[in-house]
Amino acid sequence: MTQNPPNLRPDLAPKARISEPRREGQPMIGMVSLGCPKALVDSERILTRLRAEGYAISPDYAGADAVIVNTCGFLDSAKAESLDAIGEALKENGKVIVTGCLGAEPDYIREHHPNILAVTGPHQYEQVLDAVHVAVPPAPDPFIDLLPASGVSLTPRHYSYLKISEGCNHKCKFCIIPDMRGRLQSRPAHAVLREAEKLVQAGVRELLVISQDTSAYGVDIKHAVEKDHRAHITDLARDLGSLGAQNDLWVRLHYVYPYPHVRDLIPLMAEGLILPYLDIPFQHAHPDVLRRMARPAAAAKTLDEIAAWRAICPDITLRSTFIVGYPGETEAEFQTLLDWMDEAQLDRVGCFQYENVAGARSNALPDHVPDEVKQDRWNRFMEKAQAISEAKLAAKVGTTLQVIVDEVDTEGATCRTKADAPEIDGNLFIDEGFEGLNPGDIVTVEVEEAGEYDLWGRLV
């Protein structure tokens, strides 16, 4: 049982979990999945196809006939992590296929690792399968290799990521994701709902809705209506929430861009159809910094929106991420961000120190901030965020909350409240009377103690 302070990389997905037996003679493929939850979903889709073809799956290099490394290219530090993972896979296994966001730069990868078998870009599933077939021919047994209807999941059985679109139409200067993953491509609403229904039938208790820009869902297909379901985030949230009428299902929204129509989602939270939780990457609060980022520069209006959301749904939890040390950021602009945080009182906060990323337009901006100044501002920002978090959690002592159980061991049960997404937010721990609990149980607790990011409680 471990405590969970905020990750220095709040974009990261949980560590992939795979536990499948291997039959004698079955070819095995290892998977190393790096980066965000969207990449984890890509890994699940690749492995589902491979599993259907008779391959066994390993979460690492052990015993694998070849290894797929699904890379991240979000930051230069993430690129370095991906190159290290590829190098480690080559050393430990020798047969390595590279895919994912960094795969959009094949020459860059081969420059560092010329002995890889193949490189494909993000969501190029067919090319990955072709590369696996060449490296390790399939040998399926039709009487044994039967794929469950829900496919291969890399998350615990009780929660799952639900990707509703791919790509992004924004042109933020610090981001190259639209270059790697393309423009917005929304899935039909009926297809999303069909996948959600299958997940719920397979035992999923929490759906984590993800995309690059969840608010923009359906814009590219003009909010098309197919099979009585409209491709609009408000309609989709309502439809997903309706799946929980008999199943006590949690639906959590991630990566929500602060468009005005986001306000239409809040009544659904107040009604209990979806969780009262919004993950909105504000990035900064000073209008000049936001303009240099090529993001909406209306921080004051954002405060008004936050107040309106809380008026409709007082229990709403707001999570966001920010960038400190962006090129040209002055001490006065950074202080504006700190002052804005005092007013906004966000519940969950992550923070990046700005990094140049090859191909990003922000690299060419003048007045880059020295590393030591970025570190100092990050420290001060996180100190502010921690103080706000500690005060908000202290106010929950004595209240009763619903929690979902993630893990049970000999020390206790690790749970999350409706205010906590997996891995990136806090936990609630139950130290006594937990023996009958199982992962996926949704139970009521009384909060007895609070820390900086976590809670402790007892079953009611």
Side-chain angles (χ1 to χ4, degrees):
M1 187 168 66
T2 59
Q3 294 188 34
N4 182 27
N7 199 301
L8 300 186
R9 286 276 308 283
D11 62 309
L12 292 182
K15 181 176 174 58
R17 305 187 188 192
I18 305 172
S19 56
E20 284 192 351
R22 180 186 191 183
R23 63 173 168 78
E24 185 176 352
Q26 186 177 20
M28 178 176 281
I29 302 299
M31 170 62 84
V32 178
S33 189
L34 307 173
C36 66
K38 295 178 287 296
L40 192 72
V41 173
D42 289 343
S43 296
E44 290 176 338
R45 290 178 178 172
I46 292 168
L47 295 184
T48 294
R49 295 283 297 276
L50 289 173
R51 180 69 185 82
E53 294 181 354
Y55 292 92
I57 307 300
S58 170
D60 49 34
Y61 324 110
D65 298 301
V67 176
I68 301 169
V69 180
N70 191 357
T71 58
C72 179
F74 180 54
L75 301 169
D76 282 357
S77 56
K79 291 183 177 181
E81 180 186 18
S82 293
L83 289 176
D84 288 345
I86 295 167
E88 184 177 341
L90 284 168
K91 179 182 177 182
E92 298 292 332
N93 184 279
K95 290 185 175 181
V96 177
I97 296 161
V98 178
T99 188
C101 286
L102 191 57
E105 302 179 49
D107 294 340
Y108 174 77
I109 296 173
R110 291 192 181 278
E111 178 185 337
H112 291 83
H113 298 297
N115 295 325
I116 56 175
L117 298 179
V119 184
T120 72
H123 51 265
Q124 293 181 344
Y125 310 128
E126 298 297 334
Q127 291 91 326
V128 176
L129 294 171
D130 290 343
V132 171
H133 294 158
V134 171
V136 185
D141 183 333
F143 297 101
I144 298 175
D145 298 326
L146 300 176
L147 181 69
S150 59
V152 174
S153 175
L154 300 180
T155 53
R157 183 173 181 269
H158 62 281
Y159 69 79
S160 181
Y161 293 101
L162 182 66
K163 189 194 286 190
I164 62 173
S165 66
E166 188 58 81
C168 181
N169 289 346
H170 295 296
K171 297 181 179 180
C172 304
K173 289 188 177 181
F174 56 81
C175 183
I176 60 171
I177 287 176
D179 298 325
M180 294 187 294
R181 289 186 169 261
R183 291 178 62 80
L184 178 69
Q185 291 181 294
S186 299
R187 298 176 61 195
H190 68 87
V192 175
L193 286 164
R194 184 170 64 246
E195 180 182 353
E197 289 169 352
K198 289 181 178 179
L199 289 168
V200 173
Q201 290 167 4
V204 168
R205 305 296 303 278
E206 179 178 8
L207 294 173
L208 300 113
V209 178
I210 58 169
S211 64
Q212 199 58 48
D213 179 3
T214 297
S215 307
Y217 171 68
V219 168
D220 57 311
I221 54 178
K222 303 186 188 313
H223 303 304
V225 178
E226 292 185 38
K227 299 183 180 179
D228 297 325
H229 295 290
R230 179 175 175 242
H232 188 285
I233 187 55
T234 306
D235 298 65
L236 181 64
R238 185 181 295 108
D239 289 340
L240 290 172
S242 68
L243 297 179
Q246 305 298 325
N247 300 289
D248 201 13
L249 176 71
W250 287 12
V251 178
R252 188 183 303 275
L253 301 182
H254 284 283
Y255 313 120
V256 177
Y257 208 87
Y259 295 114
H261 70 259
V262 168
R263 193 181 292 196
D264 298 333
L265 292 169
I266 312 304
L268 304 183
M269 298 178 183
E271 294 170 26
L273 274 178
I274 59 176
L275 291 185
Y277 181 101
L278 272 184
D279 174 12
I280 299 188
F282 290 120
Q283 307 297 9
H284 211 278
H286 195 284
D288 292 342
V289 177
L290 291 168
R291 274 192 287 270
R292 292 198 297 274
M293 291 179 170
R295 290 182 66 84
K301 289 185 178 180
T302 300
L303 288 173
D304 292 340
E305 281 299 305
I306 290 173
W309 299 339
R310 285 174 171 154
I312 298 169
C313 183
D315 293 335
I316 192 171
T317 294
L318 299 178
R319 150 165 274 283
S320 191
T321 51
F322 295 86
I323 297 173
V324 295
Y326 191 77
E329 182 189 57
T330 65
E331 177 61 28
E333 289 170 342
F334 174 69
Q335 186 60 51
T336 295
L337 174 58
L338 294 183
D339 294 342
W340 186 91
M341 283 284 291
D342 277 329
E343 290 192 64
Q345 291 288 299
L346 301 182
D347 303 87
R348 301 283 187 257
V349 173
C351 185
F352 294 100
Q353 295 182 46
Y354 172 80
E355 292 182 24
N356 277 341
V357 179
R361 293 178 295 155
S362 56
N363 300 353
L365 291 173
D367 303 321
H368 280 242
V369 177
D371 288 345
E372 61 272 18
V373 175
K374 286 191 283 190
Q375 182 65 47
D376 174 69
R377 289 177 183 171
W378 186 88
N379 291 339
R380 289 155 61 196
F381 180 91
M382 291 308 299
E383 183 179 356
K384 171 80 67 179
Q386 178 181 306
I388 293 172
S389 173
E390 191 170 9
K392 281 181 167 283
L393 293 182
K396 295 185 179 183
V397 174
T399 64
T400 57
L401 301 172
Q402 264 197 329
V403 302
I404 190 166
V405 179
D406 278 341
E407 187 177 354
V408 181
D409 58 25
T410 56
E411 298 179 24
T414 301
C415 315
R416 288 178 292 107
T417 73
K418 293 180 178 180
D420 301 299
E423 301 292 327
I424 59 174
D425 294 327
N427 291 316
L428 183 142
F429 301 103
I430 301 173
D431 298 330
E432 297 178 354
F434 58 85
E435 291 79 8
L437 296 178
N438 294 293
D441 287 348
I442 296 177
V443 296
T444 303
V445 300
E446 180 182 346
V447 180
E448 297 182 310
E449 184 182 344
E452 295 167 349
Y453 302 108
D454 300 306
L455 298 169
W456 286 258
R458 66 175 181 86
L459 289 169
V460 175

